[in-house]
């Protein structure tokens, strides 16, 4: 997130109606990604878990958004805290923010910043749920995302985007959430997949997307919403936001074509719609940390190289027999980390100095700032360690409490969580065997994709 005021003090600049309008629009655009992600995951899931995939993403968003209003915003983005690690409760229940401004967004009301960033917080847990769709119970899941957001997401957000956060003062470059959102989600998905265990029939059959049309529609909605996700992270209607939105589109186009080509060349596939969607998504993930720091055309490099990195990572995860259902770790974890490193290489002063206070910007290797890539790795490592440690502790703690065990039973898994957890079905007039009768035989390549 680009800081429009880097003093760390309460902002006194006049409100700007253009900035307010753009961030209101961006908030709506990011919200569109919620149903987009839900459709995306539903289409990739087995038919018996298609409705629970839809519902899980929206439930997680609602739980986190309420947490954000109660105290999450104040912990993550309070500008009255001088701590390097966490905010405070000065803005609990989002009181006194309609008529004030936050130091990191000087020309819009603090309430608008809270709403906009609440969309980021709300979608992040939805991302990692893709790793365990069909295995995680709904009620414990809601408790988990509440705790995870409070203990993992809020501190990482403060580190990276608060004016006093220690990663921010270290000059770690994460424009719109490559580490804050995507890396933390990818790592959490991997930990959940390992701790909840593989599906009972993992290795016995090949899983495939039950509805590629949902995947396609979900991808387009997420791509559309990413204009606000990255373009709005300038927290103002300015040139920085234009460059971020432009780079986002360029990267997505390059990533989609590159991933589809890899499937054709290596896996001998045709023009796979799911492979194309996979490439679009991982490219969008990768360009997120660098979109406001690099020249827009560099999006071609971000998209193409990340498609290769994530394609290889998917195969690597499978080689270790890890049942990350929708490849969240390979898409978000690797995509987010890879994008952070590329940002350290391609960031340039010509872009990073746009619309910020003099002397507050840094750059990457293209401008001979050789320390930036090691700094990026430090940011990546800190997010990974913090996320792994606390995710493990939260899962262990919840599994020790009666009624809060995250993993469903083998019987519930077999019938599907649409039936066992919701009692409703996506396709009530079509039998599941009819929907799933064309499963590929074991040994055939499957193509799946994971989230934003």
């Amino acid at each position: 997130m680009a800081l429009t005021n880097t003093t760390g003090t309460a902002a006194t600049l006049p409100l700007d109606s253009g900035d307010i309008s753009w961030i209101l629009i961006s908030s709506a655009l990011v919200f569109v990604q919620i149903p987009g992600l839900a459709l995306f995951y539903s289409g990739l899931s087995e038919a018996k878990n298609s409705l629970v995939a839809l519902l899980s993403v929206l439930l997680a968003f609602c739980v986190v958004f309420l947490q954000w209003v109660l105290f999450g915003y104040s912990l993550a983005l309070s500008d009255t805290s001088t701590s390097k690690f966490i905010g405070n409760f000065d803005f609990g229940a989002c009181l006194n923010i309609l008529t004030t401004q936050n130091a990191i967004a000087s020309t819009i009301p603090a309430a608008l910043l809270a709403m906009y960033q609440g969309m980021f917080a709300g979608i992040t847990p939805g991302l990692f749920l893709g790793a365990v769709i069909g295995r995680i119970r709904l009620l414990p899941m809601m408790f988990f995302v509440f705790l995870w957001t409070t203990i993992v997401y809020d501190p990482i957000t403060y580190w990276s985007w608060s004016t006093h956060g220690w990663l921010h003062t270290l000059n770690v470059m994460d424009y719109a959430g490559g580490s804050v959102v995507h890396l933390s989600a990818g790592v959490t998905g991997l930990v959940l997949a390992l701790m909840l265990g593989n599906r009972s029939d993992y290795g016995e059959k090949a899983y495939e997307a039950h509805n590629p049309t949902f995947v396609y529609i979900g991808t387009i909605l997420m791509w559309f919403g990413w204009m606000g996700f990255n373009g709005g992270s300038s927290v103002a209607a300015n040139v920085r936001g234009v460059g971020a939105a432009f780079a986002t589109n360029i990267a997505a186009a390059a990533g989609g074509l590159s991933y589809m080509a890899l499937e054709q060349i290596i896996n001998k596939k045709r023009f796979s719609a799911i492979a194309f969607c996979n490439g679009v998504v991982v490219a969008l993930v990768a360009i997120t940390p660098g979109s406001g720091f690099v020249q827009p055309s560099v999006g071609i490099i971000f998209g193409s190289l990340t498609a290769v990195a994530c394609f290889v990572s998917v195969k690597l995860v499978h080689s270790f027999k890890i049942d990350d259902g929708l490849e969240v770790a390979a898409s978000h974890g690797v995509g987010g980390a890879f994008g952070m490193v590329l940002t350290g290489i391609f960031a340039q002063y010509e872009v990073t100095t746009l619309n910020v206070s003099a002397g507050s910007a840094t750059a990457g290797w293209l401008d001979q700032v050789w320390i930036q890539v090691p700094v990026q790795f430090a940011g990546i490592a800190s997010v990974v360690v913090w996320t792994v440690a606390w995710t493990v502790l939260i899962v262990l703690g919840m599994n020790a409490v009666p009624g809060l065990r995250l993993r469903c039973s083998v019987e519930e898994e077999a019938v599907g969580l649409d039936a066992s957890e919701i009692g409703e079905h996506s396709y009530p007039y079509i039998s599941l065997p009819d929907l799933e009768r064309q499963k590929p035989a074991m040994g055939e390549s499957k193509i799946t994709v994971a989230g934003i």
Side-chain angles (χ1 to χ4, degrees):
M1 188 160 54
L3 307 187
T4 57
N5 179 344
T6 59
T7 65
T9 59
T12 57
L13 296 179
L15 295 176
D16 186 289
S17 59
D19 293 347
I20 293 171
S21 298
W22 172 233
I23 304 307
L24 276 170
I25 293 169
S26 294
S27 299
L29 287 171
V30 179
F31 179 79
V32 168
Q33 293 184 297
I34 305 295
L37 177 64
L39 282 168
F40 188 78
Y41 278 173
S42 178
L44 289 170
S45 301
E46 295 181 279
K48 64 183 181 181
N49 294 312
S50 55
L51 185 57
V52 79
L54 287 167
L55 184 60
S56 294
V57 173
L58 189 56
L59 287 177
F61 172 80
C62 291
V63 169
V64 172
F65 203 72
L66 292 178
Q67 182 269 6
W68 188 256
V69 170
L70 291 174
F71 56 83
Y73 165 75
S74 195
L75 288 178
L77 293 174
S78 173
D79 61 350
T80 60
S81 172
T82 57
S83 169
K84 293 183 178 294
F85 298 99
I86 194 66
N88 52 34
F89 293 100
D90 286 0
F91 302 102
C94 283
L95 298 176
N96 304 317
I97 62 173
L98 268 177
T99 56
T100 59
Q101 295 149 267
N102 191 298
I104 65 174
S106 309
T107 59
I108 64 174
L112 180 53
L113 176 69
M115 182 174 73
Y116 176 63
Q117 280 296 316
M119 301 297 173
F120 283 60
I123 199 172
T124 303
L127 300 178
F128 63 65
L129 291 177
V132 287
I133 289 292
R135 282 175 280 171
I136 189 168
R137 298 165 56 219
L138 287 178
L139 183 60
M141 177 274 291
M142 289 188 281
F143 276 94
F144 176 83
V145 299
F146 185 91
L147 293 171
W148 184 90
T149 301
T150 303
I151 300 172
V152 177
Y153 181 85
D154 291 347
I156 292 173
T157 301
Y158 186 87
W159 299 350
S160 301
W161 291 337
S162 168
T163 53
H164 293 290
W166 74 275
L167 290 183
H168 174 70
T169 57
L170 191 64
N171 282 330
V172 173
M173 304 178 77
D174 185 359
Y175 187 74
S179 62
V180 175
V181 174
H182 297 290
L183 179 58
S184 67
V187 170
T188 301
L190 181 62
V191 173
L192 286 175
L194 290 169
M195 296 191 73
L196 268 64
N198 293 354
R199 283 168 283 191
S200 57
D201 56 2
Y202 182 78
E204 298 175 5
K205 70 173 185 179
Y207 305 102
E208 66 172 3
H210 93 279
N211 193 328
T213 302
F214 277 11
V215 177
Y216 178 87
I217 295 172
T219 301
I220 295 304
L221 288 175
M222 289 190 290
W223 189 344
F224 176 69
W226 232 294
M227 299 306 99
F229 198 95
N230 289 354
S233 288
S234 57
V235 290
N238 56 29
V239 176
R240 195 77 169 276
V242 172
F246 197 11
T248 298
N249 276 286
I250 294 169
L257 293 174
S258 298
Y259 206 104
M260 185 171 64
L262 288 168
E263 284 289 351
Q264 288 181 309
I265 295 169
I266 297 177
N267 290 336
K268 309 303 180 184
K269 297 290 180 179
R270 299 179 182 178
F271 286 92
S272 168
I274 294 180
F276 176 79
C277 290
N278 190 36
V280 167
V281 168
V282 299
L284 289 168
V285 169
I287 194 61
T288 293
S291 56
F293 297 132
V294 302
Q295 294 287 350
S297 59
V298 174
I300 297 173
I301 299 174
F302 273 71
S304 301
L305 293 184
T306 303
V308 175
C310 292
F311 183 87
V312 173
S313 297
V314 167
K315 293 184 175 296
L316 185 62
V317 171
H318 284 295
S319 72
F320 286 109
K321 307 299 182 185
I322 299 171
D323 188 10
D324 179 353
L326 304 181
E327 276 102 33
V328 174
S331 297
H332 291 287
V334 173
F338 198 66
M340 290 284 288
V341 175
L342 290 178
T343 299
I345 296 173
F346 291 101
Q348 291 185 279
Y349 284 118
E350 184 178 349
V351 182
T352 62
T353 54
L354 291 170
N355 308 116
V356 296
S357 302
S360 64
T362 186
W365 282 4
L366 282 189
D367 282 356
Q368 292 81 50
V369 183
W370 307 116
I371 191 62
Q372 194 58 46
V373 169
V375 166
Q376 296 297 94
F377 274 112
I380 292 168
S382 64
V383 170
V384 169
V385 170
W386 183 264
T387 302
V388 169
W390 281 108
T391 302
V392 169
L393 290 174
I394 294 170
V395 173
L396 289 175
M398 289 189 61
N399 284 342
V401 177
L404 290 183
R405 186 172 182 83
L406 289 163
R407 175 76 188 247
C408 68
S409 68
V410 174
E411 293 76 20
E412 290 170 330
E413 182 188 326
V415 299
L417 298 193
D418 287 5
S420 64
E421 285 285 292
I422 302 176
E424 299 167 353
H425 301 277
S426 294
Y427 311 98
Y429 305 111
I430 305 174
S431 67
L432 293 183
D434 287 341
L435 283 174
E436 299 183 353
R437 66 182 181 275
Q438 295 183 345
K439 297 290 185 184
M442 282 301 297
E444 292 185 13
S445 174
K446 84 176 173 103
I447 307 173
T448 59
V449 57
I452 278 201

